[in-house]
Amino acid sequence: ADFENKMHEADRQKMIETAEEEIYEDPDLVWSYFGNINAVVMGDSRVLGFSAFGYMDENRVLAEGGATIADIPSYYDLLQMINPQLLVLSYGINDINADWVPWSDLDGYVEYLNGVMADLTELLPYTYIYVQSIIPVNEIGLETSPSWGQIPWWNEVIMEDCREMGWRYIDITDLVYDYWWCLEVDGVHMQTFFYTPWAQAILVRYVNDNIENMEGYF
């Protein structure tokens, strides 16, 4: 049994490596697969680029400027209709300093996030749901809102909470720094060049979690 388990893991790892190689070599494959699995990305104005730049259907990009995780419940019915296989939550830039939200500090935010994730897990039991790290801003962005300097600390706390609660978490912080030149002149939003590597990072994580159900695609 131990030998068979090792062979299974070796085969699984080989499949993952093959899939990752194809994902990074063929960017079009990312968007094709996003469509095939009915992927949905939710978030704020930075997420809007997925549809604004023509990468994803606007009906699969549930985002708006100024959005926070407090807006997610308004999409519950729509999400049940779409029933995506992959759902990514990319919020945070507004959640930190908005004065219209139902939390007053990071502890309150994490509590609210856990409630939303519990709801989504119940509503979409077969969906791979991911909480994504908050995308940082550069020095120009910090001039606009010094409170965004808290992003690394928020990410650390959110990641630990997801670990404890069993929520899936994607950390794209290093990827953002690799593409730091893709920040717009406001130091906050992302240029079109960032969206493909962003999607690749999401898909690679999904592949690692779900490779058994993807045989024959890669």
Side-chain angles (χ1 to χ4, degrees):
D2 184 57
F3 176 76
E4 289 181 355
N5 288 336
K6 288 181 179 179
M7 290 296 294
H8 172 73
E9 182 57 31
D11 289 342
R12 183 179 187 277
Q13 188 58 39
K14 185 176 180 179
M15 291 171 61
I16 290 173
E17 291 173 358
T18 299
E20 290 183 359
E21 183 177 344
E22 293 192 27
I23 289 169
Y24 286 121
E25 287 184 352
D26 184 3
D28 291 338
L29 179 64
V30 177
W31 306 115
S32 174
Y33 199 75
F34 265 36
N36 290 342
I37 63 174
N38 205 16
V40 169
V41 184
M42 300 184 69
D44 48 44
S45 57
R46 299 193 280 191
V47 171
L48 279 172
F50 280 106
S51 56
F53 292 127
Y55 295 115
M56 294 178 66
D57 188 296
E58 62 181 8
N59 295 320
R60 298 298 180 269
V61 180
L62 309 183
E64 58 183 316
T68 72
I69 61 171
D71 296 297
I72 295 176
S74 66
Y75 290 99
Y76 284 170
D77 290 341
L78 179 57
L79 285 168
Q80 283 188 292
M81 290 178 58
I82 298 173
N83 193 27
Q85 289 177 243
L86 169 63
L87 173 61
V88 178
L89 310 180
S90 178
Y91 292 87
I93 194 72
N94 305 301
D95 307 60
I96 290 178
N97 55 13
D99 57 6
W100 62 87
V101 293
W103 55 81
S104 58
D105 54 23
L106 180 51
D107 289 338
Y109 178 81
V110 168
E111 181 179 355
Y112 191 92
L113 175 63
N114 287 335
V116 167
M117 287 297 293
D119 290 344
L120 290 173
T121 300
E122 181 177 352
L123 292 170
L124 305 168
Y126 304 109
T127 300
Y128 281 73
I129 306 169
Y130 295 90
V131 177
Q132 183 194 271
S133 57
I134 304 171
I135 298 174
V137 305
N138 65 17
E139 293 81 2
I140 297 174
L142 290 176
E143 290 177 4
T144 301
S145 178
S147 62
W148 288 335
Q150 302 175 50
I151 289 176
W153 168 240
W154 276 55
N155 278 337
E156 184 177 336
V157 172
I158 294 167
M159 178 171 61
E160 179 61 21
D161 175 72
C162 288
R163 187 190 66 79
E164 292 179 357
M165 297 296 298
W167 314 134
R168 298 182 181 93
Y169 181 83
I170 299 178
D171 187 355
I172 66 164
T173 303
D174 289 342
L175 179 68
V176 176
Y177 288 141
D178 287 342
Y179 286 85
W180 206 229
W181 55 274
C182 280
L183 282 167
E184 289 283 5
V185 293
D186 63 2
V188 176
H189 296 89
M190 312 303 296
Q191 298 178 34
T192 182
F193 310 103
F194 180 69
Y195 287 84
T196 294
W198 184 357
Q200 287 171 325
I202 292 170
L203 185 53
V204 164
R205 173 59 190 278
Y206 177 75
V207 164
N208 274 267
D209 289 343
N210 196 39
I211 191 64
E212 289 82 1
N213 297 318
M214 300 172 70
E215 290 189 58
Y217 191 84
F218 294 100

